[in-house]
Amino acid sequence: MDLIPAPAAVEGPHEGGFVLDAGTTMDAGPGTGTAERWLRATLGAAFGVPLRPGPADGPGGTVVLRVDGTLPPEAYRLTVPAEGGVRITGGDAAGVFWGAQTLRQLLGPDAHRRAPVRRAAPAVPARTVTDRPRFGWRGLLLDVARHFLPKDDVLRYLDLLAAHKLNVLHLHLTDDQGWRLEVERHPRLTATGAWRSRTKHGHRASPLWTEAPHGGYYTRDDIREIVAYAAERHITVVPEIDIPGHSQAAIAAYPELGNTDVVDTTALTVWDTWGVNPNVLAPTDATLRFYEGVLEEVLDLFPGTFVHLGGDECPTDQWRASPRARARVRELGLAGEHQLRGWFVRHFGHWLADRGRRLIGWDEILEGGPAGPDLPPGAAVSSWRGYAGGIAAAEAGHDVVMCPEQHVYLDHRQAGDGSEPVPIGYVRTLEDVYRFDPVPPGLTPGAAARVLGTQANVWTEAMDSRSRVDYQVFPRLAAFAEVAWSELPAPAERDFAGFERRMAAHYRRLDALGVDYRPPTGPLPRHLRPGVLGRPIDGPPPNV
C-alpha cells in the first residue's frame, strides 16, 4: 500500500472490498460535516458520482463517517469490510477528515483529478488502517511578501497541505519587499507598501533585474476566505507581521515609523533586492500604537491562537545613531540599543496575551542581556538557525516549532550537480528531508514535550512564480509530511528505499493535482533558469 504519510498500522488486504460507483451513498454522523463536504466535492467530481445521503446499513456501498471521542485527537480508523463500503471513525472532526484523505489515496491517482478521466474507480481491497499524528503542529511557511502569490494559489496550497495531512499554514505577510495584508485604518500599507518598482532577479549578488513593477495584497475578505477555506480542511493559518526589522515596506508607506532623526525616511521605497535591511522601526510610542492598530485587525481576521511577529534579523545601527532611540534606552533602563528589539517583542507579547492570544517569533527572541531574554511569558519559538534555539527554549519551559534551515528550508537546492535553477544554500535532497527529526537527541522528556511540532519554510526571493514554488517544495514536502505525521525510526534507520517505492505512486497523484515538482531524474528544460545567479553553499550543513 503506497500511502504517504505512512500510517501507524495496516491490517490486510483481505478478500472483498469497496467499489465507489453511482450507487455509493454517504452516512455522515454528527461532527463530520467537513469530511462529508470535502468527499462529496472531491471524489464526487473526480469520479462523477453524487454520493447521496444514505443509511449505514443500506443495500449498496456506503461511506460511513463517525466521531468517536475515545480515539485521540486527529486519530482515525478506516475500515473496508469484505462485504463492501467504508467506515471512517475519527477521534474528532479532524481525524475523520484525515481518514478521508487516506481514502482518496486508496482510490488511486484519478481521485486527485477535478473531473472523470475513466469510467470507474478502482476497487479498494478489504483492510483496516489505524493512524494518528506524531505532532500537533505540522506546518509550511509560505513567503508571499518577497514574491506575491495570488489568492487562488494560496487556496491551492491549502489543498496540497491537506492532501499531505499538514495542518498549519504560516503566511509571511510583511517584509521589506512588500506588505500583503489590507489594513483599513492604515490604507497606505497596501496602496504604497504592496508594490515595488522592480525586483532583483536571482540572489542579491546577481547583476540581473526584472524591470517591471511587482506586488499585490490580500483584501480583508480575501483573508476571511483563505481562513475559512483552511478551517474546512482543519488547517490553522498563522499570520506573520514582522517587527521591528524587515519593515522597509511599512516605513516607505508611513515614513514616521522609521528613524527619522537618522535617515530621510521619506526617500525610502519598497525594497527591490534581498538581504538584511538596515531600515528598522523607531522605538516610539507612536510606532507601538500604529502596530497595535494593525494587530487589532489581524486578530479580527485570524482566529487562531498564535500570531507570529518575526523578531529576527534586526540591525541596531540606526538605533545606535539615533538620539531618540538612545533616549528611549535610558528611559527604559536597558543595557543598550541591542535590547530595544526585546522591548518591542515583550510589549506585543503582553499585548497579545491580554487578548487571549500567544506570540510566536524566530529564535532571536531568545536573545537578551542583563534584563533577560526577549521571550515574554507564554510566547513560543520558531527555531530556524538550527536546533540550538529550540533546545534552549524547550529546556526553559517554552513551546517550540522546529524549522532549522539546515534541514527544512525548501528554498535550498535539491542537488549539487550544477543543474538546479537559481541554486540557493545547502544541498537538501529528498532523502535528507526524510531523515530529519524534529526532536534532537538529548532533550529531556519534559523538554521534548515542549516541541509542538515542525514546519518546512519556503522563502521566495528566488521563486517568482507558482511553478518555481512547486519545484522547490515538491517532492520534498511529501517526505517532510511523513516526518511530521508518522512515528518513524531513528533517522539513520529509516527505510528510504521503501519511501521511494511509495513515492512512485505519489508522483502520479502529484501529476493529477497539477504540481510542477522536481522529477527524481532532475529538472526538466522548463525548470531551468540559465544565467541567473544563486548562492550555493558547499559541503554538508552544520548540525547546530
Side-chain angles (χ1 to χ4, degrees):
M1 191 168 56
D2 298 317
L3 295 177
I4 290 179
V10 178
E11 297 177 14
H14 308 294
E15 292 295 324
F18 167 64
V19 176
L20 176 71
D21 57 27
T24 303
T25 58
M26 186 153 34
D27 178 14
T32 66
T34 53
E36 178 191 12
R37 289 187 290 273
W38 182 85
L39 282 167
R40 195 166 278 126
T42 55
L43 298 188
F47 295 114
V49 295
L51 289 173
R52 297 182 182 92
D57 56 355
T62 303
V63 178
V64 179
L65 308 178
R66 293 290 187 269
V67 171
D68 179 354
T70 65
L71 294 176
E74 295 195 273
Y76 69 89
R77 182 173 57 251
L78 184 154
T79 304
V80 181
E83 61 271 19
V86 178
R87 187 179 188 92
I88 301 173
T89 304
D92 54 11
V96 179
F97 183 77
W98 303 133
Q101 294 289 345
T102 294
L103 175 61
R104 188 193 198 186
Q105 289 197 15
L106 291 172
L107 286 165
D110 287 351
H112 296 73
R113 295 191 179 275
R114 298 183 184 180
V117 297
R118 289 172 181 81
R119 292 184 178 179
V124 179
R127 57 163 51 95
T128 298
V129 179
T130 304
D131 207 3
R132 61 182 293 179
R134 180 184 180 191
F135 293 108
W137 184 304
R138 308 179 302 278
L140 177 76
L141 176 144
L142 199 54
D143 171 16
V144 295
R146 272 51 176 272
H147 277 101
F148 179 67
L149 279 178
K151 178 197 70 179
D152 283 354
D153 288 341
V154 176
L155 298 178
R156 172 177 175 266
Y157 257 84
L158 287 167
D159 281 328
L160 292 173
L161 294 186
H164 293 83
K165 298 185 174 73
L166 299 173
N167 67 348
V168 175
L169 176 65
H170 175 168
L171 271 185
H172 183 74
L173 290 164
T174 74
D175 215 298
D176 302 301
Q177 296 87 1
W179 185 286
R180 307 295 176 215
L181 175 67
E182 179 186 32
V183 178
E184 282 187 335
R185 71 191 71 187
H186 301 307
R188 295 205 306 272
L189 285 172
T190 47
T192 298
W195 309 94
R196 57 179 183 262
S197 60
R198 64 174 189 168
T199 300
K200 175 66 71 172
H201 191 29
H203 183 255
R204 62 180 176 270
S206 169
L208 304 177
W209 296 86
T210 300
E211 297 288 352
H214 176 84
Y217 64 93
Y218 309 110
T219 67
R220 289 169 58 85
D221 280 347
D222 288 340
I223 292 296
R224 291 186 179 101
E225 180 182 359
I226 288 168
V227 169
Y229 195 86
E232 275 287 296
R233 287 146 184 81
H234 297 276
I235 297 171
T236 299
V237 183
V238 175
E240 182 177 357
I241 306 295
D242 221 331
I243 61 168
H246 288 288
S247 297
Q248 182 161 320
I251 297 169
Y254 291 91
E256 64 272 22
L257 294 174
N259 293 284
T260 56
D261 55 347
V262 176
V263 178
D264 179 9
T265 55
T266 63
L268 295 178
T269 60
V270 177
W271 212 25
D272 55 14
T273 189
W274 322 120
V276 178
N277 189 296
N279 293 298
V280 302
L281 297 177
T284 65
D285 290 343
T287 301
L288 297 182
R289 301 294 89 75
F290 183 97
Y291 274 86
E292 286 170 0
V294 169
L295 290 174
E296 284 176 3
E297 297 193 25
V298 167
L299 298 191
D300 178 58
L301 294 170
F302 296 92
T305 300
F306 287 101
V307 176
H308 206 293
L309 293 184
D312 62 316
E313 296 180 329
C314 182
T316 59
D317 297 359
Q318 290 185 0
W319 291 339
R320 287 198 300 271
S322 164
R324 183 172 57 182
R326 294 199 304 272
R328 173 116 284 187
V329 168
R330 291 192 296 272
E331 173 192 337
L332 296 170
L334 302 178
E337 292 77 18
H338 64 283
Q339 291 195 335
L340 285 171
R341 177 182 59 191
W343 171 73
F344 271 103
V345 171
R346 285 189 295 274
H347 173 85
F348 286 108
H350 289 293
W351 188 92
L352 288 169
D354 289 344
R355 289 153 182 82
R357 303 295 186 91
R358 293 177 65 186
L359 179 148
I360 184 168
W362 302 112
D363 56 49
E364 284 96 327
I365 69 173
L366 286 163
E367 298 168 359
D374 293 353
L375 196 61
V381 170
S382 299
S383 188
W384 77 273
R385 290 180 295 179
Y387 285 116
I391 292 170
E395 290 179 344
H398 298 286
D399 290 338
V400 176
V401 175
M402 286 291 190
C403 49
E405 65 169 330
Q406 301 87 352
H407 300 278
V408 289
Y409 268 34
L410 301 185
D411 43 303
H412 284 212
R413 58 194 173 129
Q414 302 183 65
D417 59 6
S419 67
E420 290 299 282
V422 200
I424 300 294
Y426 297 104
V427 174
R428 293 287 84 192
T429 65
L430 185 65
E431 182 173 0
D432 290 330
V433 174
Y434 190 67
R435 297 194 188 281
F436 164 64
D437 198 314
V439 180
L443 275 185
T444 64
R450 287 289 184 177
V451 179
L452 299 176
T454 183
Q455 179 173 288
N457 292 348
V458 183
W459 302 103
T460 62
E461 290 95 332
M463 300 177 220
D464 55 5
S465 67
R466 185 176 89 173
S467 174
R468 282 286 295 123
V469 174
D470 276 5
Y471 179 91
Q472 291 298 133
V473 171
F474 288 98
R476 293 182 294 182
L477 192 69
F480 173 79
E482 186 147 310
V483 166
W485 176 276
S486 306
E487 289 284 353
L488 298 176
E493 299 168 8
R494 293 177 187 171
D495 181 10
F496 179 68
F499 176 77
E500 282 190 304
R501 286 192 295 271
R502 287 183 285 123
M503 278 301 300
H506 200 66
Y507 285 122
R508 295 178 60 205
R509 299 180 192 123
L510 296 178
D511 287 333
L513 289 165
V515 176
D516 197 9
Y517 59 85
R518 182 191 190 275
T521 53
L524 300 173
R526 70 171 178 269
H527 296 138
L528 302 179
R529 299 292 187 274
V532 182
L533 185 66
R535 186 181 67 94
I537 304 175
D538 293 330
N543 193 26
V544 294

